[in-house]
Amino acid sequence: MKAFVVRHDRPVFSAQKCSDSAEAEAQLAHYEEASAKVDEDIHAMMKKASNSDEVTILEAQSFMLKDPDFTSRIRHLILDDYYNAPMAVETAAGQIIDQLSKLGSQMFRENIYDVQDIASRLISTLTKEKFTNIKELEEKVIVVADTILPSELLAMDVSMIGAICLDGGGSTSHVAILARSMNIPAVFALKDASSRIESGGLAAVDGLSGILYIDPDEKTVRRIKREKRQLEEEERLLKEDAVLPAITKDGVRIRLECNIDGIDHVESSLKNGAEGAGLLRTEFLLMTEGKTYSEDEQAEIYAQLASAFSRRGPVTIRTYDVGGDKVVSDLHVDEDNPVLGWRAVRFCMSRRDIFRTQLRAVLRASGSCPGRIRLMFPMISGPDELDDVLSFFESVKAECRSEGIAFDEDMKTGTMIEVPSAAITSDILASKVDFFSVGTNDLTQYTIAVDRGNEKISYLYKEYDVAMLRLLKYTSDSAAAHELDLSMCGELASDIEFIPLIIGLGFRKLSMHPASLLSARRLIRSLNYSDCQVLAKKALDMTSCRDIEELVEKFNAEIRDNQQG
Ligand code: PEP
Ligand code: MG
């Protein structure tokens, strides 16, 4: 395929300052006009957006455009320092980027791209000059770029992009998320690739190994094509498996559900054979900029989701898990230690107005589809907190009854087990709810005291840590003793290497990202439950993470050998 090279050359604009306040006022008006135009463009793109990832990214950009810190810096540079409008935008963006780079975390790096994108668009609107050489693509190409701004990717004709190769970036960047949602293979961190190939030159991308070949020989192209065909065939076979139940070879049924953020994920979940939604992360309802969902709107969304899954299985609605790294700027004040702070039910119990609306909406939705909606509370830290939350829920139910609102009186309620104190008291919690769902993402973070988003200490973040296995086993035993429904909805539930161990620990219900369902189902169908139990028993006797890793590796190697043999 031919390469199409995108480089972001700095636009040319005058470095001349304004001569007087009248000129400065004119530059300010010029900037405000450009800002309104860019916002209009963003909203037009939002209307055309084909999925929620695109909308979220565009919303972040519209938000950045109007960010008070950004806009007041620009105003100050123009009115007080007499900068012309493009200079002021470039300088203000530079200052904010400097600040963000010092903060280090991935989340802030993503904000840097948003600032860069917004600044580029403002400047190109102000100077009426194009930043990049992006144009209408006439044939399918491999885009090789120094960087691609989300707005640029959204402006391109997706059907003409065979792959994207970037000098920088990473797999969790906004562009990576967009590329995934558009089904475009993407390769990152290629250093100076964009300056080593010219537009029109031949290129090939090995999506599996993440290698960009410049001017590849025929043999390489044939190999890449062959591997791509194999991959497509494998995906096709996996899809055929989607209709088969996840049953181990010795007949133990494992339920596979999906984790979803909203309506968008329903189609892929159903296609991949989800047997219900084990986790609906409702915080997305609070995170939509400039919008609050009324009781009616929420009830409608929840009922729609329950009906979309219909007889496949119930939808487990988790009440708002805001706070921690999911800060909603309108609702939160800055906290020194947000992960241990005003999060999830702690937030909801002090903002009962918001919580009540959500609970009433869930109850109302349940009235139209009894048995198909379950309610789950996040971040419960122990029996007292659970009692308080449940008693508030009872008061909301009583309120609905007195208003004659029909709801599912037998609606199942459960708690997430994602705080170590909840796992340790799971024997007590088990008598208060109908189900447990273990959130290994947070349980790991809090058990090992390792920030789940901090790359510097990610070597410690092991969901199968010795301490974690003990907590998982204790929770599983507590659930079994009370004949409680038990599932896992953290990322560990979809880790193909660790599924045998998780099943062996007693988890017969796993909830995961829709994309992981097919491979999880195929794996489960190749397992013997009794072998998984033996594996879990051995792992629980181990005293080091490395030994657990080795044990699991050996177990998986044997499964693979058996499959091939
Ligand atoms: C978890 O903590 O494992 C979990 C599923 O919740 P979230 O990732 O939304 O915090
Ligand atoms: Mg969690």
Side-chain angles (χ1 to χ4, degrees):
M1 224 178 273
K2 281 189 187 154
F4 177 72
V5 179
V6 177
R7 290 202 194 96
H8 291 74
D9 301 319
R10 192 180 174 281
V12 185
F13 55 80
S14 154
Q16 183 109 29
K17 285 193 174 183
C18 305
S19 52
D20 54 25
S21 61
E23 202 184 324
E25 290 288 350
Q27 284 297 312
L28 182 65
H30 192 27
Y31 152 71
E32 281 167 350
E33 226 173 84
S35 175
K37 168 82 180 70
V38 170
D39 203 29
E40 219 174 83
D41 292 348
I42 294 176
H43 280 88
M45 278 180 168
M46 248 184 240
K47 280 200 189 116
K48 281 198 251 151
S50 56
N51 61 54
S52 63
D53 289 330
E54 290 181 25
V55 175
T56 310
I57 288 167
L58 289 164
E59 273 168 355
Q61 299 206 334
S62 170
F63 183 66
M64 186 61 233
L65 181 70
K66 293 173 224 148
D67 177 68
D69 182 31
F70 183 47
T71 52
S72 66
R73 279 172 199 265
I74 295 171
R75 287 178 71 83
H76 163 75
L77 287 163
I78 297 177
L79 293 179
D80 301 336
D81 298 342
Y82 282 10
Y83 278 42
N84 67 40
M87 271 168 79
V89 170
E90 191 184 59
T91 309
Q95 291 168 349
I96 292 178
I97 288 169
D98 264 1
Q99 278 180 354
L100 290 171
S101 347
K102 285 186 192 126
L103 297 172
S105 93
Q106 175 65 32
M107 192 170 82
F108 292 120
R109 271 205 296 284
E110 275 318 301
N111 293 346
I112 292 178
Y113 292 125
D114 288 333
V115 181
Q116 271 169 349
D117 199 352
I118 282 302
S120 313
R121 291 163 71 177
L122 276 171
I123 295 173
S124 65
T125 308
L126 284 163
T127 56
K128 308 225 174 348
E129 233 188 81
K130 285 236 170 292
F131 253 72
T132 62
N133 51 354
I134 286 181
K135 55 169 183 156
E136 295 281 292
L137 297 170
E138 281 145 19
E139 59 182 308
K140 200 157 186 164
V141 290
I142 292 175
V143 175
V144 185
D146 51 356
T147 175
I148 284 249
L149 301 171
S151 60
E152 293 170 334
L153 185 53
L154 290 168
M156 288 170 137
D157 178 355
V158 176
S159 65
M160 293 296 183
I161 307 178
I164 294 174
C165 302
L166 298 185
D167 291 355
S171 61
T172 54
S173 64
H174 281 166
V175 167
I177 294 169
L178 278 180
R180 265 197 297 276
S181 72
M182 293 167 163
N183 264 331
I184 305 173
V187 181
F188 300 96
L190 295 174
K191 295 202 172 87
D192 56 354
S194 71
S195 47
R196 292 180 41 196
I197 185 166
E198 291 297 326
S199 278
L202 276 188
V205 173
D206 183 342
L208 278 182
S209 55
I211 296 176
L212 163 69
Y213 291 91
I214 295 174
D215 205 8
D217 57 29
E218 257 182 53
K219 209 168 132 212
T220 307
V221 174
R222 270 205 309 276
R223 177 181 61 77
I224 293 176
K225 281 191 177 155
R226 190 178 60 239
E227 285 173 0
K228 187 164 171 267
R229 272 198 306 274
Q230 273 168 359
L231 207 68
E232 282 166 358
E233 174 63 5
E234 226 168 82
E235 268 173 21
R236 193 185 62 75
L237 289 174
L238 278 173
K239 282 227 154 76
E240 280 177 8
D241 279 0
V243 289
L244 301 172
I247 292 185
T248 61
K249 288 203 286 196
D250 46 355
V252 175
R253 179 79 162 87
I254 308 294
R255 271 191 87 84
L256 293 183
E257 301 187 334
C258 57
N259 295 349
I260 55 173
D261 292 348
I263 293 278
D264 281 350
H265 289 144
V266 171
E267 199 186 321
S268 57
S269 304
L270 293 176
K271 250 198 229 151
N272 294 347
E275 301 170 88
L279 168 63
L280 169 67
R281 290 183 163 103
T282 58
E283 357 0 310
F284 78 94
L285 293 170
L286 290 181
M287 295 168 115
T288 316
E289 183 63 31
K291 165 116 185 89
T292 43
Y293 286 83
S294 67
E295 187 182 311
D296 283 355
E297 286 171 317
Q298 285 190 50
E300 163 99 31
I301 293 173
Y302 301 148
Q304 248 180 30
L305 284 166
S307 118
F309 282 92
S310 87
R311 279 186 302 276
R312 286 280 189 94
V315 171
T316 303
I317 301 178
R318 180 178 76 178
T319 59
Y320 298 135
D321 179 19
V322 275
D325 61 346
K326 302 174 203 167
V327 171
V328 178
S329 49
D330 290 347
L331 298 172
H332 275 88
V333 283
D334 271 349
E335 289 185 288
D336 285 343
N337 208 347
V339 175
L340 298 181
W342 199 37
R343 189 181 163 183
V345 287
R346 303 166 184 190
F347 167 84
C348 286
M349 287 298 275
S350 63
R351 285 300 309 264
R352 294 190 184 201
D353 51 332
I354 295 176
F355 200 18
R356 175 181 288 106
T357 306
Q358 180 172 42
L359 294 175
R360 284 175 62 98
V362 173
L363 284 167
R364 280 178 48 191
S366 75
S368 61
C369 48
R372 296 216 228 115
I373 286 182
R374 310 195 310 167
L375 182 68
M376 175 161 79
F377 301 110
M379 282 289 291
I380 292 289
S381 58
D384 295 283
E385 193 171 35
L386 182 57
D387 282 344
D388 291 346
V389 170
L390 288 173
S391 109
F392 181 64
F393 181 47
E394 281 308 317
S395 75
V396 179
K397 277 188 187 170
E399 197 179 281
C400 287
R401 269 186 218 110
S402 71
E403 289 173 34
I405 294 173
F407 64 86
D408 179 7
E409 288 279 357
D410 299 320
M411 184 167 51
K412 303 274 185 257
T413 40
T415 176
M416 286 199 67
I417 302 287
E418 55 181 344
V419 180
S421 51
I424 294 164
T425 54
S426 55
D427 55 325
I428 310 171
L429 302 183
S431 62
K432 300 173 188 286
V433 284
D434 302 304
F435 66 91
F436 282 164
S437 185
V438 178
T440 49
N441 307 341
D442 276 313
L443 191 58
T444 309
Q445 151 161 284
Y446 294 123
T447 301
I448 312 177
V450 51
D451 177 350
R452 64 195 256 193
N454 186 336
E455 285 161 26
K456 284 201 210 85
I457 45 168
S458 59
Y459 66 96
L460 281 173
Y461 188 91
K462 296 202 162 118
E463 298 110 310
Y464 50 85
D465 185 272
V466 178
M468 279 293 288
L469 292 195
R470 291 182 182 195
L471 291 180
L472 294 178
K473 171 78 168 110
Y474 190 74
T475 305
S476 160
D477 287 349
S478 302
H482 287 78
E483 295 182 7
L484 204 74
D485 182 281
L486 171 74
S487 76
M488 180 181 283
C489 63
E491 291 301 306
L492 184 62
S494 60
D495 188 328
I496 289 297
E497 295 289 302
F498 284 90
I499 283 178
L501 173 56
I502 300 313
I503 292 178
L505 285 169
F507 289 81
R508 294 207 189 171
K509 211 184 237 188
L510 306 176
S511 189
M512 59 193 72
H513 190 282
S516 306
L517 288 164
L518 295 172
S519 44
R521 174 174 289 101
R522 172 179 269 195
L523 170 76
I524 288 164
R525 292 178 63 80
S526 73
L527 296 173
N528 265 313
Y529 187 68
S530 52
D531 295 343
C532 298
Q533 284 179 308
V534 173
L535 171 71
K537 201 166 175 319
K538 281 190 194 159
L540 282 164
D541 285 339
M542 297 202 145
T543 52
S544 114
C545 243
R546 283 185 205 99
D547 291 348
I548 297 170
E549 260 165 47
E550 239 171 65
L551 175 77
V552 166
E553 227 166 76
K554 209 166 134 237
F555 181 91
N556 285 305
E558 275 166 23
I559 294 182
R560 280 191 281 272
D561 284 352
N562 288 344
Q563 276 171 343
Q564 275 155 16

